[in-house]
Amino acid sequence: MSEPVTPAAKAERKLALLLCAPALLVMIAVAAWPIIHAVVLSLQRYDLRFPGEREFVGLGNYAAVLSNGFWWTAVGVTVVIIGVSVALELMLGLVLALMMHRSLVGRGVVRTVLLIPYGIVTVVAAYSWLFAWSADTGYLSRLFGPETAPLSEWGPSLVIIIIAEVWKAAPFVALLLMGGLALVPADMLQMAAMDGATRWQRFSWVTLPAMKPAIGVACVFSTLNAFRIFDTIFVLTRGANDTGSVAVLTYNNLFRGLNLGIASTMSVLIFLAAALIVLVLLKVLGVAAPGDEDRGR
């Protein structure tokens, strides 16, 4: 049974709402209105090449997109990138976090060097990988022969895209996991060592469970980052050879096809999928804000 709210608590809540109102209005103007507008456009046949033929079609655009093979190919590519890159980012990020957390000599230098990829602009990083794998001129391409052109084939292109994405995003995951490592109780590790637990047992039984909230947050951010991947693919392959993600396909329909209705439909589907992914991950991983656990009891 909930306790009655006192007048002082009501006054504090009212003050909190008033203080949050300006930020809330800005968020509505910047985020909510574009989303609503995109939903409205997704219900219309709206091709900028034929503006006079604009009309309301209801869910017709959604049926057209969901029954199109190009959309599902892009979804498949996106799912592969998410599955592989998130797993690699979590493993590599954990290794980097342990290195930054436990380095005794030159800790500042080690952290700076390991975080350099995250500080590079995504487009610049993608172009560096493009030049490295360009046929006849790339230094990585030369290692496999002068006629090697991995970015012209589906499999090698996807591998390079994933490597570039992991190389760029793993340091950010390491930052999140390093914050989780700082929360691991040192006394519990010492007691486990006194009880005869090996390093691996202390890591798997003490460190990882204590890092669960940080791992959950890192998994959410990594998944969303991989889900919206655009820059890397656009620079490396332009979506050729069936390497385009859902974001690249939406871009092509909007800026190349000038089909505002279909592009808006795809953007709404991407938004709904991203929201569903976040809800599922938060539920499965048990990520919650401080105090939410007590509130739910």
Side-chain angles (χ1 to χ4, degrees):
M1 186 175 180
S2 60
E3 298 180 358
V5 181
T6 63
K10 290 182 179 179
E12 290 181 357
R13 291 182 179 180
K14 184 177 180 180
L15 177 61
L17 291 175
L18 291 175
L19 293 175
C20 293
L24 182 61
L25 291 175
V26 172
M27 291 181 63
I28 292 175
V30 173
W33 168 244
I35 293 174
I36 295 173
H37 189 55
V39 173
V40 173
L41 290 176
S42 70
L43 302 176
Q44 304 176 36
R45 178 183 292 116
Y46 192 5
D47 193 324
L48 294 179
R49 296 170 298 178
F50 311 102
E53 299 179 6
R54 180 177 179 178
E55 63 176 335
F56 178 81
V57 294
L59 299 178
N61 287 335
Y62 291 90
V65 170
L66 295 176
S67 62
N68 189 279
F70 290 107
W71 169 257
W72 291 110
T73 299
V75 170
V77 170
T78 306
V79 170
V80 171
I81 293 175
I82 291 174
V84 178
S85 64
V86 171
L88 292 178
E89 286 169 17
L90 289 176
M91 290 188 291
L92 183 58
L94 184 57
V95 172
L96 295 178
L98 291 171
M99 292 175 61
M100 291 187 290
H101 182 71
R102 296 181 178 179
S103 58
L104 301 177
V105 180
R107 177 175 295 184
V109 176
V110 171
R111 292 181 178 181
T112 302
V113 171
L114 293 178
L115 293 176
I116 285 177
Y118 180 63
I120 301 175
V121 179
T122 305
V123 174
V124 176
Y127 269 109
S128 68
W129 286 97
L130 176 64
F131 295 145
W133 286 105
S134 296
D136 300 328
T137 58
Y139 62 92
L140 291 178
S141 184
R142 287 199 210 101
L143 295 177
F144 300 93
E147 297 180 354
T148 303
L151 292 175
S152 62
E153 302 177 14
W154 181 82
S157 297
L158 209 55
V159 170
I160 294 173
I161 289 170
I162 292 174
I163 292 175
E165 188 69 13
V166 171
W167 178 82
K168 181 73 172 63
F172 176 70
V173 176
L175 280 178
L176 297 175
L177 296 181
M178 191 170 64
L181 284 172
L183 300 177
V184 178
D187 54 348
M188 292 184 63
L189 292 173
Q190 294 174 356
M191 287 188 292
M194 293 175 61
D195 290 338
T198 62
R199 287 188 176 182
W200 173 252
Q201 288 173 333
R202 295 198 299 270
F203 178 75
S204 58
W205 294 349
V206 179
T207 303
L208 283 181
M211 291 179 61
K212 183 181 177 182
I215 294 175
V217 172
C219 186
V220 170
F221 275 94
S222 297
T223 303
L224 291 179
N225 185 59
F227 184 76
R228 63 177 179 81
I229 181 172
F230 173 81
D231 312 51
T232 304
I233 296 177
F234 186 79
V235 171
L236 291 176
T237 65
R238 304 272 175 171
N241 305 314
D242 291 332
T243 58
S245 63
V246 288
V248 174
L249 184 63
T250 304
Y251 170 87
N252 289 335
N253 276 272
L254 179 59
F255 292 98
R256 294 184 178 179
L258 300 179
N259 197 324
L260 198 58
I262 293 295
S264 298
T265 302
M266 291 180 176
S267 65
V268 171
L269 290 174
I270 292 173
F271 172 78
L272 294 176
L276 180 61
I277 289 173
V278 171
L279 290 175
V280 171
L281 288 178
L282 292 179
K283 187 68 175 179
V284 173
L285 300 175
V287 181
D292 284 354
E293 299 87 347
D294 298 333
R295 227 179 266 125
R297 292 176 183 174

